[in-house]
Amino acid sequence: MRLGEMLIRDGKLTQAQLDEGIATQAKIGGRLGTVLVEIGAIDVELLSRYLALELGVPAVTRRELDRARDAALRLLPRDLCTRVICLPFDVRDRHLLVAMRDPHDLEALDEIAEVAGRAPIPRVAPEIQIAYYLKEHYGVTPPRRVAALGERAAGRLGQQPVED
């Protein structure tokens, strides 16, 4: 079952909201889930849960991404993470846990394994969240459309910086 259908089935989205999302997506492009967040129909946490259901892959939590380990981040270069839209966040035994926009991308998983020297364990995450954490950990400037959404997805929008 597709994302929009599942959201409607569970009463999380109306048909009118889905239609608006699809129309907006046709105009500006991008992924439907991201567009639904952009138009305010759903939030990132809900999107994350439903992507996990749709794809059959566990979702990574914001807490896990907030606590991304340096040991994991050092295993993948910025250009690879940016290209396949992923973020390594933990190392367990001989495995690398990786938040991915598309956890079924077998070529990306093979490349991650080759570069990291560890078998990747993919976790799904909305591209909005990954974009925020790529900025935080690798200095990657997110696309303008998702920059503010990423701040909101990470729970940072409107927060004052902490001074030392």
Side-chain angles (χ1 to χ4, degrees), residues 35-132:
V35 171
L36 291 171
V37 173
E38 282 181 290
I39 65 172
I42 62 173
D43 64 29
V44 175
E45 296 297 323
L46 185 66
L47 174 59
S48 185
R49 286 195 308 268
Y50 276 81
L51 287 174
L53 290 171
E54 178 188 30
L55 300 173
V57 175
V60 65
T61 66
R62 187 170 78 190
R63 184 178 189 157
E64 288 172 308
L65 294 175
D66 279 342
R67 295 179 176 177
R69 298 181 182 274
D70 289 338
L73 293 164
R74 285 193 299 265
L75 290 174
L76 295 182
R78 171 186 170 163
D79 65 319
L80 172 60
C81 293
T82 304
R83 186 168 33 83
V84 301
I85 308 177
C86 73
L87 185 87
F89 64 92
D90 201 1
V91 176
R92 294 191 188 149
D93 299 318
R94 295 182 180 185
H95 296 93
L96 177 65
L97 277 78
V98 184
M100 300 182 71
R101 178 183 75 176
D102 182 0
H104 293 300
D105 183 340
L106 298 180
E107 287 181 23
L109 289 168
D110 286 345
E111 187 173 359
I112 289 167
E114 183 178 326
V115 171
R118 296 172 186 266
I121 299 174
R123 297 289 186 259
V124 69
E127 66 183 344
I128 299 163
Q129 269 186 324
I130 294 172
Y132 173 82

Side-chain angles (χ1 to χ4, degrees), residues 1-15 17-18 32-34 36-37 41-51 53-54:
M1 185 174 282
R2 301 187 74 177
L3 178 67
E5 295 167 347
M6 291 187 331
L7 289 164
I8 289 172
R9 174 198 69 200
D10 294 348
K12 306 295 184 186
L13 190 71
T14 66
Q15 185 63 52
Q17 289 171 313
L18 178 59
L32 179 60
T34 300
L36 291 171
V37 173
I42 62 173
D43 64 29
V44 175
E45 296 297 323
L46 185 66
L47 174 59
S48 185
R49 286 195 308 268
Y50 276 81
L51 287 174
L53 290 171
E54 178 188 30

